[in-house]
Amino acid sequence: TDARRVHTAPARTLFLLRPLPILLVTGSGYAGYRQYEKYRERELEKLGLEIPPKLAGPWEVALYKSVPTRLLSRAWGRLNQVELPHWLRRPVYSLYIWTFGVNMKEAAVEDLHHYRNLSEFFRRKLKPQARPVCGLHSVISPSDGKILNFGQVKNCEVEQVKGVTYSLESFLGPRNSMEDLPFPPAPPPGSFRNQLVTREGNELYHCVIYLAPGDYHCFHSPTDWTVSHRRHFPGSLMSVNPGMARWIKELFCHNERVVLTGDWKHGFFSLTAVGATNVGSIRIYFDRDLHTNSPRYSKGSYNDFSFVTHTNKEGIPMRKGEHLGEFNLGSTIVLIFEAPKDFNFKLKAGQKIRFGEALGSL
């Protein structure tokens, strides 16, 4: 009897160690450790010390990508379209406004009862003249948001935040299937940057704008240009907030995104809408064939669509400030374009910016 009691006690203890509690405890411990690290970084930054980015390891990225964010985002999208009872709309939207600092005085319709569901509230329009378009500068901000990074593209690497880069070719995709663009293809021996720069003496520039959940979710044309090609990358829907951008290298290359390419008066121009968690829906107003976060597309692939046809040999002309598309919730816009060497950004890293304000000019 004594021997049986000794042997059954450990078995009973092991039986209580269920996988779910272990997973919850482990995950909570890791999340707490990450929050502590972020707290230490903020304290050191207050002291004026520059903190080198600590990048996620391959196993951490793989673990994050294993989370079914695409499925969760589709579920969130359907939930957003559920019509709320009239009596529930004001408290729900008021909580969102308070949480994310939404300025409803700018909305075309301030009455919260007007919005039947969360999706309509996220995609609310602005009052006329709420965002005057700057006419003095050649490139304006296509959206509200926060400037994460900007400057010249060097060594075919682009900074998503300071010190953390991603490959230009991985982000835009190969150039060999884009012969229908109006600018001539570059010779194969050149670097990927040289394939995009079409005029001698020009440089390649980039600008990254992060849209927070409380920002205006539509985006507009940043300049006068012609869109000739669309490339859709199905991918993960990881968070793209600045903290995550400092942690995961090539975050924007992992995520679902829509790349619009074409040309403006100085050569190559592109605007990329990057998806994020709960932002599986990226809509381009003139592109009815685009379906993002769809189960028909698998990660790691891409699909192309040309706006240049036999009847339309130029593409889709866009005027500066014209409506271009919209997100659900918030995400990131990346501009990559060619311009002369004397192009100057009128920005500071980390500053808040609104649609219509100047990004830069010659």
Side-chain angles (χ1 to χ4, degrees):
T1 304
D2 292 338
R4 182 179 298 173
R5 189 179 298 118
V6 170
H7 286 294
T8 55
R12 191 177 295 115
T13 303
L14 290 174
F15 181 76
L16 296 175
L17 297 178
R18 304 285 179 86
L20 183 58
I22 293 174
L23 184 62
L24 290 175
V25 171
T26 306
S28 300
Y30 180 74
Y33 172 71
R34 287 291 305 162
Q35 290 300 320
Y36 173 69
E37 282 194 331
K38 291 180 180 178
Y39 168 76
R40 286 185 58 194
E41 290 176 1
R42 287 195 297 268
E43 291 302 310
L44 291 173
E45 286 177 355
K46 289 179 181 178
L47 297 175
L49 300 175
E50 186 172 343
I51 310 301
K54 185 177 181 180
L55 299 178
W59 70 270
E60 292 175 302
V61 177
L63 182 63
Y64 191 4
K65 292 178 73 174
S66 68
V67 177
T69 51
R70 299 181 73 189
L71 180 62
L72 293 173
S73 295
R74 283 196 288 269
W76 175 255
R78 293 188 178 183
L79 179 64
N80 285 349
Q81 295 174 3
V82 174
E83 185 169 343
L84 295 176
H86 194 270
W87 61 270
L88 190 58
R89 295 175 187 177
R90 177 174 289 278
V92 169
Y93 301 146
S94 296
L95 177 62
Y96 187 91
I97 291 168
W98 177 79
T99 303
F100 297 108
V102 179
N103 184 3
M104 285 301 294
K105 292 183 179 179
E106 299 176 332
V109 180
E110 296 185 42
D111 182 13
L112 298 181
H113 294 107
H114 170 79
Y115 303 100
R116 296 173 297 177
N117 52 49
L118 283 166
S119 182
E120 287 188 0
F121 180 73
F122 292 149
R123 296 179 288 107
R124 64 192 175 276
K125 305 300 181 184
L126 296 178
K127 292 176 180 176
Q129 304 304 318
R131 297 288 189 276
V133 175
C134 176
L136 300 177
H137 297 274
S138 55
V139 183
I140 62 168
S141 176
S143 66
D144 290 6
K146 179 181 180 181
I147 301 296
L148 295 188
N149 217 306
F150 62 93
Q152 282 191 20
V153 176
K154 299 179 180 179
N155 302 321
C156 292
E157 293 281 327
V158 184
E159 284 192 320
Q160 56 192 27
V161 293
K162 187 175 182 180
V164 183
T165 62
Y166 57 93
S167 164
L168 183 62
E169 186 169 7
S170 297
F171 182 69
L172 295 178
R175 187 86 164 83
N176 54 7
S177 62
M178 300 166 68
E179 290 85 356
D180 52 352
L181 295 181
F183 36 80
S191 67
F192 187 76
R193 174 199 169 281
N194 293 336
Q195 296 179 40
L196 299 180
V197 176
T198 63
R199 302 181 186 180
E200 187 176 354
N202 279 2
E203 296 290 344
L204 205 59
Y205 297 87
H206 73 101
C207 183
V208 183
I209 306 170
Y210 167 70
L211 287 75
D215 288 328
Y216 167 58
H217 299 309
C218 296
F219 51 94
H220 301 245
S221 176
T223 191
D224 296 335
W225 64 308
T226 301
V227 184
S228 51
H229 187 273
R230 180 260 291 163
R231 176 168 283 170
H232 171 215
F233 288 86
S236 301
L237 288 172
M238 297 184 283
S239 172
V240 293
N241 67 60
M244 196 62 65
R246 284 192 294 268
W247 187 49
I248 297 181
K249 183 177 174 64
E250 297 201 334
L251 172 64
F252 298 155
C253 298
H254 292 298
N255 271 19
E256 181 143 359
R257 59 197 182 278
V258 177
V259 182
L260 300 178
T261 52
D263 66 326
W264 70 318
K265 59 183 179 181
H266 299 297
F268 173 80
F269 198 96
S270 73
L271 180 149
T272 302
V274 183
T277 308
N278 297 334
V279 196
S281 174
I282 302 172
R283 182 183 174 193
I284 304 298
Y285 294 136
F286 57 75
D287 189 354
R288 296 183 179 180
D289 295 318
L290 175 65
H291 300 283
T292 56
N293 194 18
S294 172
R296 76 175 76 170
Y297 301 121
S298 58
K299 295 180 184 179
S301 62
Y302 63 84
N303 54 84
D304 292 324
F305 185 86
S306 175
F307 300 109
V308 177
T309 62
H310 293 293
T311 56
N312 180 10
K313 297 185 180 299
E314 294 186 358
I316 308 295
M318 297 296 301
R319 303 294 297 176
K320 184 167 64 173
E322 185 177 352
H323 279 83
L324 182 55
E326 63 188 33
F327 291 111
N328 279 326
L329 201 60
S331 194
T332 299
I333 295 286
V334 180
L335 301 180
I336 299 174
F337 56 93
E338 174 186 0
K341 293 182 178 180
D342 55 351
F343 183 88
N344 291 313
F345 284 101
K346 310 295 182 181
L347 303 171
K348 293 181 180 179
Q351 77 171 72
K352 290 288 292 183
I353 197 166
R354 304 202 303 177
F355 154 62
E357 295 179 347
L359 285 185
S361 189
L362 297 171

